Short mmCIF file of all heavy atoms in Angstrom, two decimals:
data_model
loop_
_atom_site.label_atom_id
_atom_site.label_comp_id
_atom_site.label_asym_id
_atom_site.label_seq_id
_atom_site.Cartn_x
_atom_site.Cartn_y
_atom_site.Cartn_z
N THR A 343 -34.45 -81.06 40.35
CA THR A 343 -34.19 -82.22 41.15
C THR A 343 -35.12 -82.27 42.35
O THR A 343 -35.86 -81.38 42.66
CB THR A 343 -32.79 -82.18 41.65
OG1 THR A 343 -32.61 -81.05 42.49
CG2 THR A 343 -31.75 -82.03 40.47
N ALA A 344 -34.97 -83.36 43.16
CA ALA A 344 -35.75 -83.52 44.33
C ALA A 344 -35.40 -82.49 45.41
O ALA A 344 -36.27 -81.92 46.13
CB ALA A 344 -35.52 -84.91 44.97
N GLN A 345 -34.10 -82.10 45.44
CA GLN A 345 -33.73 -81.01 46.31
C GLN A 345 -34.28 -79.65 45.88
O GLN A 345 -34.68 -78.91 46.75
CB GLN A 345 -32.18 -80.92 46.34
CG GLN A 345 -31.58 -79.86 47.28
CD GLN A 345 -31.96 -80.12 48.76
OE1 GLN A 345 -32.08 -81.25 49.15
NE2 GLN A 345 -32.14 -79.06 49.48
N ASP A 346 -34.41 -79.48 44.61
CA ASP A 346 -35.05 -78.24 44.15
C ASP A 346 -36.50 -78.20 44.56
O ASP A 346 -37.09 -77.16 44.85
CB ASP A 346 -34.96 -78.20 42.61
CG ASP A 346 -33.59 -77.97 42.05
OD1 ASP A 346 -32.69 -77.70 42.89
OD2 ASP A 346 -33.27 -78.27 40.91
N SER A 347 -37.17 -79.35 44.47
CA SER A 347 -38.61 -79.41 44.86
C SER A 347 -38.72 -79.03 46.31
O SER A 347 -39.69 -78.36 46.73
CB SER A 347 -39.13 -80.93 44.64
OG SER A 347 -39.17 -81.20 43.25
N LEU A 348 -37.86 -79.56 47.15
CA LEU A 348 -38.00 -79.31 48.64
C LEU A 348 -37.74 -77.82 48.90
O LEU A 348 -38.47 -77.17 49.67
CB LEU A 348 -36.89 -80.09 49.41
CG LEU A 348 -36.84 -79.89 50.94
CD1 LEU A 348 -38.17 -80.24 51.52
CD2 LEU A 348 -35.69 -80.66 51.50
N LEU A 349 -36.76 -77.20 48.20
CA LEU A 349 -36.48 -75.78 48.41
C LEU A 349 -37.71 -74.91 47.93
O LEU A 349 -38.04 -73.91 48.59
CB LEU A 349 -35.24 -75.41 47.55
CG LEU A 349 -34.59 -74.06 47.81
CD1 LEU A 349 -33.95 -74.00 49.19
CD2 LEU A 349 -33.55 -73.73 46.76
N THR A 350 -38.28 -75.35 46.85
CA THR A 350 -39.45 -74.59 46.28
C THR A 350 -40.68 -74.83 47.17
O THR A 350 -41.42 -73.82 47.45
CB THR A 350 -39.75 -75.10 44.87
OG1 THR A 350 -38.57 -74.94 44.09
CG2 THR A 350 -40.90 -74.30 44.27
N TYR A 351 -40.84 -76.02 47.73
CA TYR A 351 -42.02 -76.24 48.59
C TYR A 351 -41.96 -75.44 49.86
O TYR A 351 -42.97 -74.99 50.38
CB TYR A 351 -42.07 -77.73 48.91
CG TYR A 351 -43.13 -78.11 49.98
CD1 TYR A 351 -44.43 -77.75 49.79
CD2 TYR A 351 -42.78 -78.81 51.13
CE1 TYR A 351 -45.43 -78.02 50.76
CE2 TYR A 351 -43.69 -79.10 52.06
CZ TYR A 351 -45.03 -78.72 51.90
OH TYR A 351 -45.95 -79.01 52.86
N ASN A 352 -40.78 -75.29 50.38
CA ASN A 352 -40.65 -74.53 51.63
C ASN A 352 -41.14 -73.07 51.46
O ASN A 352 -41.88 -72.55 52.38
CB ASN A 352 -39.14 -74.47 52.07
CG ASN A 352 -38.67 -75.83 52.62
OD1 ASN A 352 -39.47 -76.59 53.05
ND2 ASN A 352 -37.35 -76.05 52.53
N VAL A 353 -40.80 -72.43 50.37
CA VAL A 353 -41.33 -71.05 50.17
C VAL A 353 -42.78 -71.05 49.80
O VAL A 353 -43.54 -70.17 50.06
CB VAL A 353 -40.49 -70.27 49.09
CG1 VAL A 353 -39.10 -70.04 49.65
CG2 VAL A 353 -40.43 -70.98 47.77
N PHE A 354 -43.15 -72.17 49.03
CA PHE A 354 -44.57 -72.27 48.63
C PHE A 354 -45.51 -72.40 49.83
O PHE A 354 -46.60 -71.79 49.77
CB PHE A 354 -44.71 -73.53 47.72
CG PHE A 354 -46.10 -73.76 47.21
CD1 PHE A 354 -46.75 -72.81 46.43
CD2 PHE A 354 -46.76 -74.96 47.50
CE1 PHE A 354 -48.06 -73.04 45.95
CE2 PHE A 354 -48.02 -75.24 47.04
CZ PHE A 354 -48.67 -74.27 46.22
N GLN A 355 -45.08 -73.15 50.84
CA GLN A 355 -45.94 -73.25 52.01
C GLN A 355 -46.16 -71.90 52.66
O GLN A 355 -47.23 -71.53 53.09
CB GLN A 355 -45.19 -74.16 53.05
CG GLN A 355 -45.70 -75.54 53.11
CD GLN A 355 -45.10 -76.29 54.26
OE1 GLN A 355 -43.93 -76.09 54.65
NE2 GLN A 355 -45.91 -77.12 54.96
N LEU A 356 -45.12 -71.05 52.70
CA LEU A 356 -45.19 -69.71 53.33
C LEU A 356 -46.16 -68.81 52.50
O LEU A 356 -46.93 -68.06 53.08
CB LEU A 356 -43.87 -69.11 53.51
CG LEU A 356 -42.94 -69.81 54.50
CD1 LEU A 356 -41.53 -69.37 54.44
CD2 LEU A 356 -43.47 -69.52 55.95
N TYR A 357 -46.02 -68.89 51.17
CA TYR A 357 -46.88 -68.12 50.35
C TYR A 357 -48.35 -68.53 50.56
O TYR A 357 -49.28 -67.71 50.66
CB TYR A 357 -46.59 -68.33 48.83
CG TYR A 357 -45.56 -67.53 48.20
CD1 TYR A 357 -44.53 -68.11 47.39
CD2 TYR A 357 -45.43 -66.13 48.47
CE1 TYR A 357 -43.56 -67.37 46.81
CE2 TYR A 357 -44.39 -65.45 47.93
CZ TYR A 357 -43.50 -66.02 47.08
OH TYR A 357 -42.46 -65.23 46.52
N SER A 358 -48.62 -69.90 50.70
CA SER A 358 -49.95 -70.38 50.80
C SER A 358 -50.74 -69.93 52.01
O SER A 358 -51.94 -69.99 52.06
CB SER A 358 -49.94 -71.87 50.66
OG SER A 358 -49.33 -72.36 49.53
N LEU A 359 -49.97 -69.52 53.10
CA LEU A 359 -50.65 -69.00 54.28
C LEU A 359 -51.44 -67.78 54.01
O LEU A 359 -52.39 -67.48 54.79
CB LEU A 359 -49.55 -68.68 55.33
CG LEU A 359 -48.84 -69.91 55.95
CD1 LEU A 359 -47.67 -69.45 56.83
CD2 LEU A 359 -49.73 -70.86 56.71
N SER A 360 -51.16 -67.05 52.94
CA SER A 360 -51.84 -65.83 52.66
C SER A 360 -52.91 -65.97 51.52
O SER A 360 -53.49 -64.93 51.14
CB SER A 360 -50.90 -64.71 52.33
OG SER A 360 -50.21 -65.03 51.05
N LEU A 361 -53.15 -67.15 51.07
CA LEU A 361 -53.90 -67.33 49.84
C LEU A 361 -55.36 -66.81 50.06
O LEU A 361 -55.83 -66.09 49.14
CB LEU A 361 -54.00 -68.83 49.50
CG LEU A 361 -54.68 -69.14 48.08
CD1 LEU A 361 -54.04 -68.47 46.93
CD2 LEU A 361 -54.67 -70.67 47.89
N ILE A 362 -56.01 -67.08 51.12
CA ILE A 362 -57.36 -66.64 51.37
C ILE A 362 -57.36 -65.14 51.52
O ILE A 362 -58.46 -64.52 51.24
CB ILE A 362 -58.04 -67.32 52.53
CG1 ILE A 362 -57.30 -67.12 53.86
CG2 ILE A 362 -58.22 -68.83 52.27
CD1 ILE A 362 -58.01 -67.71 55.04
N PHE A 363 -56.35 -64.54 51.96
CA PHE A 363 -56.32 -63.10 52.15
C PHE A 363 -56.06 -62.40 50.85
O PHE A 363 -56.75 -61.41 50.48
CB PHE A 363 -55.20 -62.67 53.09
CG PHE A 363 -55.44 -63.18 54.55
CD1 PHE A 363 -54.86 -64.36 54.92
CD2 PHE A 363 -56.26 -62.48 55.41
CE1 PHE A 363 -55.12 -64.82 56.26
CE2 PHE A 363 -56.48 -62.95 56.72
CZ PHE A 363 -55.92 -64.18 57.14
N TYR A 364 -55.10 -62.94 50.04
CA TYR A 364 -54.72 -62.27 48.82
C TYR A 364 -55.87 -62.45 47.79
O TYR A 364 -56.11 -61.53 46.97
CB TYR A 364 -53.43 -62.96 48.29
CG TYR A 364 -52.86 -62.23 47.07
CD1 TYR A 364 -52.49 -60.91 47.12
CD2 TYR A 364 -52.79 -62.90 45.83
CE1 TYR A 364 -51.91 -60.28 46.01
CE2 TYR A 364 -52.25 -62.28 44.68
CZ TYR A 364 -51.88 -60.91 44.86
OH TYR A 364 -51.36 -60.33 43.76
N SER A 365 -56.60 -63.55 47.78
CA SER A 365 -57.73 -63.70 46.89
C SER A 365 -58.78 -62.66 47.06
O SER A 365 -59.41 -62.27 46.14
CB SER A 365 -58.25 -65.12 46.99
OG SER A 365 -58.76 -65.38 48.32
N VAL A 366 -59.04 -62.39 48.34
CA VAL A 366 -60.08 -61.37 48.71
C VAL A 366 -59.61 -59.97 48.31
O VAL A 366 -60.28 -59.14 47.82
CB VAL A 366 -60.40 -61.45 50.16
CG1 VAL A 366 -61.26 -60.21 50.55
CG2 VAL A 366 -61.20 -62.70 50.50
N TYR A 367 -58.30 -59.67 48.58
CA TYR A 367 -57.71 -58.39 48.17
C TYR A 367 -57.82 -58.21 46.63
O TYR A 367 -58.15 -57.09 46.17
CB TYR A 367 -56.27 -58.28 48.56
CG TYR A 367 -55.49 -57.08 47.96
CD1 TYR A 367 -55.91 -55.78 48.36
CD2 TYR A 367 -54.64 -57.24 46.99
CE1 TYR A 367 -55.32 -54.71 47.74
CE2 TYR A 367 -54.02 -56.15 46.39
CZ TYR A 367 -54.35 -54.87 46.76
OH TYR A 367 -53.80 -53.74 46.19
#
Side-chain angles (χ1 to χ4, degrees):
T343 66
Q345 182 60 35
D346 294 344
S347 293
L348 180 60
L349 194 68
T350 303
Y351 172 55
N352 288 336
V353 295
F354 179 60
Q355 259 189 323
L356 291 168
Y357 276 137
S358 300
L359 294 172
S360 65
L361 186 60
I362 58 175
F363 296 95
Y364 188 62
S365 62
V366 169
Y367 169 69

